[in-house]
Amino acid sequence: MAAQINPSILSADFARLADEAKAVEGADWLHVDVMDNHFVPNLTLGVPIVESLARATDTPLDCHLMIEAPDRWAPQYVEAGAGSVTFHVEAATAPVRLAREIRAKGACASMALRPATPIEPYEDLLPELDMLLIMTVEPGFGGQAFLDIMLPKIRRTRELIKKHGLELWLQVDGGVSASTIEQCADAGADVFVAGSAVYGASDPAEAVRALRTQADSATAKASWACDH
């Protein structure tokens, strides 16, 4: 199972988003953090910017909605050009219905969990999803330190995915860097959001390649991947 690297434009230069998107065109997805200053204490990008980014890059957009009322807004991000839309289960009113609507509109449906939200109550929802996002920092700001206490949660989530025989991506977001990505891959993650580790590098494209190499190497040795 090849690792996927998703650079987060939250760490990019917002005045040059089209150029910053092109700088990581070897990435699997471009991660777009949408914040509304209600669900999280920060305000970032909305539908018009996603529409513009979709026109500016061939890299598919992975929109992470850290917003209230995702049931209302998530479908609009699919229509704006997102290839994957992630909603927070803590904010969704009807997560199964929302996941099905996102899929019906042609995008991948993903559900995110904050660090304190356990995975176990949502086991029955997993077949409705294409990806599950485990936050490894509190959502709202880039540049935070990785919370290593999330590693057991990543392992438990991977075990549930295997238990049900699902083809489900397991994404991690927050503090992912050269010093943490191997731990995440060993625990069971296969999709990695990296912000400052990519856009803070002198060569963002090379940073993507280096992170992918590290993740693939760790995955090849991981017990969960060997048993897959």
Side-chain angles (χ1 to χ4, degrees):
M1 298 178 65
Q4 296 188 55
I5 307 298
N6 298 12
S8 171
I9 62 166
L10 186 64
S11 297
D13 182 349
F14 277 23
R16 302 173 51 252
L17 285 183
D19 291 336
E20 296 283 61
K22 288 182 171 63
V24 293
E25 285 187 338
D28 298 281
W29 298 80
L30 188 64
H31 191 81
V32 182
D33 289 302
V34 177
M35 307 183 195
D36 64 357
N37 203 31
H38 294 286
F39 182 71
V40 293
N42 198 0
L43 184 65
T44 57
L45 310 172
V47 169
I49 301 298
V50 171
E51 289 177 336
S52 295
L53 274 172
R55 292 192 296 268
T57 180
D58 292 329
T59 305
L61 304 183
D62 168 31
C63 287
H64 177 192
L65 307 185
M66 289 169 271
I67 63 174
E68 292 182 351
D71 304 74
R72 174 185 177 188
W73 295 109
Q76 294 188 33
Y77 284 88
V78 182
E79 295 165 4
S84 175
V85 176
T86 300
F87 59 89
H88 269 265
V89 71
E90 302 91 350
T93 301
V96 171
R97 182 176 63 199
L98 179 55
R100 291 180 178 181
E101 184 173 3
I102 291 169
R103 280 177 155 180
K105 286 183 173 291
C108 296
S110 173
M111 187 174 77
L113 279 68
R114 300 182 85 145
T117 303
I119 179 58
E120 286 78 10
Y122 304 104
E123 179 178 352
D124 291 343
L125 275 65
L126 296 181
E128 302 289 339
L129 304 170
D130 299 291
M131 182 166 68
L132 187 81
L133 168 55
I134 301 294
M135 290 299 300
T136 44
V137 298
E138 286 294 340
F141 294 93
Q144 297 182 64
F146 178 78
L147 295 174
D148 58 4
I149 59 172
M150 291 297 102
L151 292 170
K153 182 176 174 181
I154 297 168
R155 292 186 188 279
R156 294 196 305 273
T157 303
R158 175 55 66 186
E159 289 169 2
L160 290 177
I161 292 171
K162 290 180 66 176
K163 171 184 172 182
H164 293 281
L166 300 172
E167 292 294 329
L168 179 65
W169 293 324
L170 180 51
Q171 185 180 64
V172 288
D173 181 4
V176 175
S177 66
S179 61
T180 59
I181 194 168
E182 293 180 20
Q183 299 174 67
C184 295
D186 180 70
D190 54 7
V191 183
F192 306 88
V193 177
S196 53
V198 170
Y199 281 113
S202 57
D203 185 341
E206 176 55 33
V208 168
R209 289 190 289 270
L211 288 170
R212 191 194 308 281
T213 297
Q214 279 189 277
D216 282 339
S217 177
T219 300
K221 305 170 194 172
S223 59
W224 68 268
C226 295
D227 296 338
H228 188 75

